[in-house]
């Protein structure tokens, strides 16, 4: 069977796939159909938190599969109740809504901002501010939230009510809030713009933005779909910025490789949803929730310290090195701008040499498993460095 040929014949060509067919793996090493092994620095776009077929994760999944795989949200199940408890205890948030993806977690976040503001101030307070170069998902509403024109052109009309301001420009935000006084429901940010090129927001800007939101009673939402679940060296990236958001969305790495989204509601939004206001057939699936419980339990202080150390190692090794124009990111969410080559060229060269990397805009993007063994990490960074030259 020629998988790549079959795929090209029958699957809608929305992805530019790399010419590799992954068949198996163990931890941070994946194997293609020819038996070639790669060190995986993408982990399925920040999804496989503990790599591929991690034994602890597998055990949690298999144990739940042996009990019940799905029950619908018409009944209670233990895994999603326990997971919601853990998420709340570890963030100080008050309630959780479970879905299946990042876009859905953001849809729920947007509904919470809209309804939360309308409940308190009336329905004309419905604008949501997001940042230019952001990415919030592929559904029509999350595309509208996404501050990148190239995603908008083909799918008009989009959901109205979104306004984009340049990231890092506090004056632009202040002007916008003045021009739209009493009309802004919420602000939604990614602390590190992932798809936008792995660009961390400046701490001073984020603080100014949060203060402005507080002053004007504007709700603050943080999209932690990519930055969440230990990725940046804190459980959630907003913690590294000292924020106290009203609502947080997360997905990608939450269940370590199974589809699960979560929207965390803080004090001011804890009561925003009542029966029938939102729902999802698959959301809170017990197998995904059991996987996430196991993942969360392992994202402890020791692991987070390890994430920050591995990050420091990369910055020390690559910043200012030959062939490297810039290194940016937070924790194990890193973007590297090659000095002379394109990101795609570097990624192709790495792949030849058995290292899988991703791109984001003009950057080589790294999102390794949080527990990638140090020896593998250092070896992969060495190869990446050579490929940048
Ligand atoms: C990936 C991503 C999304 C969309 O998540 P899906 O699971 O693909 O729907 C939303 N926001 C951010 C910041 C992301 O990185």
């Amino acid at each position: 069977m020629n998988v790549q040929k079959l795929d090209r014949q029958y699957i809608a060509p929305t992805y530019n796939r790399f010419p590799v067919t992954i068949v198996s793996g163990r931890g941070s090493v994946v194997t293609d159909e020819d038996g070639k092994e790669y060190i995986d620095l993408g982990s399925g776009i920040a999804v496989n938190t503990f790599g591929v077929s991690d034994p602890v994760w597998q055990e949690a999944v298999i144990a739940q599969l042996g009990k019940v795989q799905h029950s619908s949200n018409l009944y209670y199940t233990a895994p999603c109740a326990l997971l919601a408890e853990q998420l709340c205890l570890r963030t100080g948030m008050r309630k959780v809504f479970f879905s299946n993806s990042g876009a859905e977690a953001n849809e729920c976040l947007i509904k919470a901002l809209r309804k939360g503001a309308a409940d308190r101030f009336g329905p004309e307070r419905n604008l949501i501010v997001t940042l230019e170069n952001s990415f919030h998902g592929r559904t029509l509403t999350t595309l509208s939230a996404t501050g990148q024109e190239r995603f908008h052109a083909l799918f008009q009309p989009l959901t109205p009510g979104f306004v984009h301001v340049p990231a890092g420009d506090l004056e632009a935000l202040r002007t916008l809030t003045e021009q739209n006084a009493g009309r802004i429901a919420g602000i939604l940010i990614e602390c590190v713009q992932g798809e936008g090129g792995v660009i961390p927001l400046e701490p001073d800007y984020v603080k100014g933005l949060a203060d402005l939101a507080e002053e004007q009673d504007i709700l603050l939402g943080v999209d932690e779909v990519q930055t969440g679940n230990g990725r940046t060296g804190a459980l959630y990236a907003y913690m590294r910025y000292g924020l106290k958001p009203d609502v947080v969305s997360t997905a990608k790495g939450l269940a370590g490789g199974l589809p699960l989204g979560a929207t965390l509601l803080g004090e001011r939004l804890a009561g925003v949803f009542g029966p029938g206001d939102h729902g999802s057939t698959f959301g809170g699936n017990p197998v995904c929730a059991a996987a996430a419980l196991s993942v969360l339990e392992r994202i402890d202080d020791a692991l987070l310290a390890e994430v920050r150390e591995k990050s420091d190692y990369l910055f020390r090794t690559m910043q200012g090195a030959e062939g490297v124009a810039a290194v940016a990111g937070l924790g194990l969410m890193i973007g590297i701008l090659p000095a002379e080559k394109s990101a795609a060229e570097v990624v192709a060269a790495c792949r030849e040499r058995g290292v899988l990397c991703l791109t984001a805009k003009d950057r080589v993007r790294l999102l390794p498993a949080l527990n990638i063994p140090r020896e593998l990490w250092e070896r992969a960074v060495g190869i990446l460095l050579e490929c940048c030259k």
Side-chain angles (χ1 to χ4, degrees):
M1 176 181 55
N2 185 332
V3 174
Q4 295 182 19
K5 185 161 170 271
L6 206 60
D7 181 304
R8 282 194 297 271
Q9 187 170 352
Y10 289 111
I11 293 184
T14 62
Y15 303 105
N16 272 320
R17 297 198 207 278
F18 296 118
V20 176
T21 303
I22 306 277
V23 291
S24 63
R26 198 78 182 161
S28 286
V29 175
V30 296
T31 308
D32 74 8
E33 59 187 344
D34 303 320
K36 179 172 173 176
E37 291 189 335
Y38 302 85
I39 303 173
D40 180 13
L41 301 187
S43 44
I45 321 186
V47 166
N48 297 333
T49 306
F50 293 105
V52 175
S53 52
D54 174 86
V56 177
W57 177 87
Q58 260 184 357
E59 195 180 298
V61 171
I62 291 167
Q64 183 57 40
L65 269 175
K67 293 177 187 162
V68 61
Q69 83 275 24
H70 173 81
S71 72
S72 89
N73 281 307
L74 301 176
Y75 304 96
Y76 293 94
T77 54
C80 76
L82 291 168
L83 177 60
E85 176 190 43
Q86 279 309 307
L87 286 167
C88 289
L89 289 175
R90 293 188 62 180
T91 59
M93 302 299 272
R94 294 275 308 278
K95 301 273 188 204
V96 182
F97 180 87
F98 289 116
S99 53
N100 316 285
S101 67
E104 285 171 280
N106 281 335
E107 288 275 345
C108 176
L109 177 150
I110 290 162
K111 286 175 81 169
L113 291 178
R114 285 253 169 96
K115 184 165 182 300
D119 287 348
R120 290 173 62 208
F121 301 104
E124 58 292 332
R125 194 169 175 119
N126 57 32
L127 293 179
I128 293 172
V129 180
T130 65
L131 303 184
E132 287 176 8
N133 197 45
S134 58
F135 182 83
H136 298 295
R138 300 288 192 164
T139 62
L140 279 170
T141 294
T142 57
L143 268 188
S144 312
T146 294
Q148 300 190 53
E149 288 303 323
R150 69 188 176 105
F151 287 119
H152 293 172
L154 301 176
F155 304 104
Q156 297 290 330
L158 298 183
T159 306
F162 290 91
V163 204
H164 313 293
V165 289
D169 185 345
L170 207 53
E171 273 322 299
L173 181 65
R174 194 177 295 281
T175 306
L176 183 85
T177 58
E178 281 161 9
Q179 285 168 348
N180 295 278
R183 290 215 48 217
I184 299 176
I187 303 176
L188 171 61
I189 61 168
E190 297 159 89
C191 291
V192 183
Q193 296 190 324
E195 304 301 312
V198 199
I199 302 170
L201 298 181
E202 289 295 334
D204 284 348
Y205 171 70
V206 173
K207 188 176 181 308
L209 178 149
D211 289 347
L212 193 70
E214 185 67 41
E215 273 163 35
Q216 307 194 14
D217 234 325
I218 293 171
L219 295 163
L220 178 61
V222 182
D223 179 342
E224 295 264 5
V225 171
Q226 190 163 158
T227 51
N229 313 302
R231 177 57 49 194
T232 67
L235 182 58
Y236 291 101
Y238 76 78
M239 296 169 170
R240 291 200 70 166
Y241 283 84
L243 290 178
K244 209 176 169 303
D246 296 298
V247 55
V248 172
S249 58
T250 191
K252 289 193 168 88
L254 178 59
L258 287 175
L260 182 65
T263 306
L264 282 50
L265 302 164
E267 189 69 45
R268 290 202 278 185
L269 291 174
V272 73
F273 294 131
D277 289 339
H278 200 42
S280 165
T281 299
F282 283 115
N285 171 277
V287 179
C288 302
L293 261 175
S294 155
V295 166
L296 266 192
E297 190 181 305
R298 294 163 74 188
I299 305 177
D300 56 12
D301 289 343
L303 181 84
L304 293 171
E306 207 183 300
V307 166
R308 296 191 299 269
E309 279 165 36
K310 287 174 196 163
S311 178
D312 290 346
Y313 172 80
L314 181 131
F315 275 83
R316 274 201 314 277
T317 312
M318 295 205 75
Q319 226 160 19
E322 190 191 341
V324 177
V327 184
L330 200 62
L332 287 176
M333 180 171 175
I334 300 167
I336 294 153
L337 181 66
E340 265 123 51
K341 296 180 181 171
S342 72
E345 281 175 299
V346 173
V347 169
C350 284
R351 189 171 64 244
E352 284 301 309
R353 298 200 41 194
V355 175
L356 298 181
C357 309
L358 307 169
T359 61
K361 294 274 174 75
D362 56 355
R363 313 275 159 135
V364 177
R365 175 169 47 156
L366 310 182
L367 297 161
L370 303 186
N371 68 340
I372 185 172
R374 278 201 177 73
E375 182 270 321
L376 276 187
W377 177 235
E378 291 176 13
R379 188 167 6 132
V381 171
I383 292 169
L384 175 59
L385 202 53
E386 285 166 22
C387 292
C388 285
K389 283 182 188 162

